[in-house]
Amino acid sequence: MPKTKLKKFSQYETFPNTYDARNLLKGKWHQEVFKNNNPIVLELACGRGEYCIGLAQLNPNKNFIGLDVKAARMWEGAKYAIENHLNNVAFLRIQIDFLLDYFEAGEIDEIWITFPDPQPQKPRAKQRLTHIKFLEKYFLLLGKFKSVNLKTDSDFLFQFTTESVKDINVQIQELLFNIDDKEDLQDELKISTYYEKMWREKNIPIKYLKFQFV
Ligand SMILES: C[S@@+](CC[C@H](N)C(=O)[O-])C[C@H]1O[C@@H](n2cnc3c(N)ncnc32)[C@H](O)[C@@H]1O
């Protein structure tokens, strides 16, 4: 690992708003981390955490947890949250596959998935974060009438996701093939990430899907 990555990796562990597989907080996030009963929103594949930071600034009465496996990336968001006194943001370094080991059913109010790797190769289909295998876990965590938001550059993953949700009981709440075509775009969709900026520079339309389990 390059030196700066290593340094961020070890610093990540010293921050007060960062957690990893050693912290067994299942069912205890409200009480032990946020010390309030506000709804908890997860951002999956959060990278540098721009989305949960942006959402936390827009929604001070909600709590946000960014999840990713890469500590050196989350270091950026965790540091920003500390420096800007954003007490409603935390980061958890885990493999999203093991989500159910870290959260209790019903503990989560909403999920955002921001620019996940599309994993177009067929043998990797089960690693797509909107594969039915993951959707079932999200349903267990959220329960009925709670939403999942997907923002992506990938036509492939967008199509795959719209097909995947047909196999389960969901109601589509919003579907945009290009968020820039929408008039009066909601502030939550104006938040931009490292990867979103990269795709925008290549003029790739940003797609958005919101659905709730019914
Ligand atoms: C393309 S990046 C997007 C990062 C960020 N959301 C953005 O838009 O800049 C995808 C991220 O997903 C993370 N990731 C992919 N699969 C994962 C998994 N199974 N568990 C945890 N993190 C995962 C990667 O580490 C990476 O940071």
Side-chain angles (χ1 to χ4, degrees):
M1 207 187 282
K3 257 191 187 169
T4 38
K5 262 195 190 174
L6 259 179
K7 198 172 162 196
K8 286 179 180 176
F9 189 91
S10 50
Q11 269 189 9
Y12 173 90
E13 299 193 343
T14 66
F15 289 157
N17 56 355
T18 58
Y19 302 88
D20 63 25
R22 291 167 295 184
N23 301 107
L24 302 175
L25 289 162
K26 184 172 178 165
K28 299 180 191 161
W29 287 90
H30 282 113
Q31 211 183 332
E32 292 196 9
V33 174
F34 296 112
K35 306 193 190 318
N36 61 43
N37 280 321
N38 294 341
I40 298 177
V41 180
L42 295 186
E43 183 197 357
L44 306 183
C46 73
R48 291 158 183 77
E50 296 95 334
Y51 232 91
C52 51
I53 294 280
L55 290 171
Q57 286 168 327
L58 287 174
N59 302 282
N61 294 327
K62 291 184 183 178
N63 303 311
F64 295 85
I65 307 174
L67 270 71
D68 202 291
V69 76
K70 296 194 175 155
R73 288 188 181 177
M74 290 191 290
W75 177 92
E76 313 272 348
K79 190 163 181 285
Y80 181 93
I82 294 166
E83 287 171 356
N84 291 277
H85 312 289
L86 284 172
N87 299 325
N88 59 336
V89 185
F91 291 89
L92 175 61
R93 189 178 86 80
I94 55 159
Q95 281 285 350
I96 292 161
D97 314 60
F98 304 117
L99 196 57
L100 297 181
D101 293 343
Y102 299 91
F103 300 97
E104 198 76 72
E107 195 171 15
I108 303 305
D109 200 67
E110 190 173 0
I111 290 178
W112 282 77
I113 314 172
T114 55
F115 300 88
D117 301 314
Q119 310 281 15
Q121 310 90 325
K122 213 172 173 188
R124 298 175 75 98
K126 284 192 174 172
Q127 292 177 40
R128 296 173 198 148
L129 293 182
T130 53
H131 187 277
I132 189 77
K133 174 189 105 173
F134 282 103
L135 297 179
E136 283 167 355
K137 293 185 201 289
Y138 306 157
F139 177 57
L140 277 173
L141 283 188
L142 293 167
K144 277 191 180 180
F145 311 117
K146 299 288 172 70
S147 301
V148 176
N149 304 265
L150 168 72
K151 224 176 158 191
T152 183
D153 54 288
S154 165
D155 285 322
F156 170 80
L157 188 78
F158 201 61
Q159 170 79 26
F160 173 79
T161 306
T162 53
E163 289 299 319
S164 296
V165 296
K166 283 182 189 159
D167 294 336
I168 50 175
N169 291 331
V170 303
Q171 182 184 44
I172 304 292
Q173 296 169 285
E174 190 161 11
L175 187 149
L176 302 173
F177 290 101
N178 183 349
I179 61 169
D180 295 341
D181 288 345
K182 185 177 174 187
E183 276 178 34
D184 295 326
L185 188 70
Q186 54 269 49
D187 287 342
E188 294 198 340
L189 287 186
K190 290 180 189 160
I191 301 165
S192 194
T193 68
Y194 178 84
Y195 274 85
E196 176 164 347
K197 289 185 185 111
M198 206 168 74
W199 298 121
R200 279 186 177 281
E201 274 168 24
K202 296 183 179 171
N203 289 321
I204 295 179
I206 305 304
K207 292 153 271 289
Y208 172 66
L209 175 68
K210 180 174 187 173
F211 59 87
Q212 66 176 4
F213 295 103
V214 290

